[in-house]
Amino acid sequence: MPTLGVNIDHIATVREARKGKEPDPVIAAMMAEQGGADGIVVHLREDRRHIQDRDLHILRETIQSKLDLEMAATEEMVKIALAVRPEMVTLVPEKRLELTTEGGLNLPLLRNDLKKIIPRLTEAGICVSVFIEPSYVQIKEARALKANTIEIHTGHYANNSGKIQKNALKQIVNAARVATRLGLAVNAGHGLNYFNVRSIALIPNINELNIGHSIVARATLVGMERAVREMKSQIV
Ligand code: PXP
């Protein structure tokens, strides 16, 4: 069975709604680890819409499991990764106007940049994962670029149902098999929730699932009763 990387970006989204101090993703990371998270994932975006540089530095000092830094393949981010030294960097595409990461990297198109960036990270002892669609072209290029790991984008599976979802699942199963045969480790994530995760978790050869929004969404709800009770006790 795969391990679970918990993405805590949206704890920071709630904090940034008021530009204040709470909720602190550093505390969320500790609590996620207590709940069994095998790793903590954060996406430091160019526009710093949720996770801030401060979060990344404190998480590096405080988390007990492992840190996976999602980032765009830019010089700014490479410098930050080399300074912070997460156990893993997951390279993702990034667009300023997107609500969330919309698709996988087009590796052949980015070949010239990634040929320089990936070795700088791996030579520093950082495991490099590339976030891609479950496509043979992308997997082959990940191998050629000497990435250690691929993360298969599960969004198409997660956002569909019926036949389309079944076909998307088949593509993910095949991609995991092919990538493993080529010597790549395989992670998967995006859009996974309490209802659709099981079929993905059962795929052989997947090392880790990275899940964020649905866990943070559920955390806000399962904690609501207690949070209100505690506020009430301050008032009454
Ligand atoms: N994996 C990658 C590469 C992502 O960009 C994201 C979203 O930040 C996730 C996994 C987690 O997706 P979700 O928040 O939908 O669980």
Side-chain angles (χ1 to χ4, degrees), residues 19 67 87 108-109 126 159 176 184 187 197 201 215 218-219 233:
K19 301 275 173 215
L67 179 60
E87 278 75 18
L109 202 71
I126 300 168
N159 296 328
L184 291 155
N187 295 344
V197 72
I215 293 176
R218 179 145 180 84
S233 76

Side-chain angles (χ1 to χ4, degrees), residues 7 9-10 43 70 90 92 100-101 131 151 188-192 210-214:
N7 180 314
D9 291 351
H10 295 306
H43 185 172
E70 277 182 24
T90 299
V92 296
T100 180
T101 316
F131 186 52
E151 179 173 336
H190 211 279
L192 298 178
N210 289 327
I211 305 179
H213 187 270
S214 65

Side-chain angles (χ1 to χ4, degrees), residues 6 67 76 133 162 181 194 213:
V6 176
L67 179 60
E76 181 202 10
E133 300 297 328
R181 213 182 295 143
Y194 294 85
H213 187 270

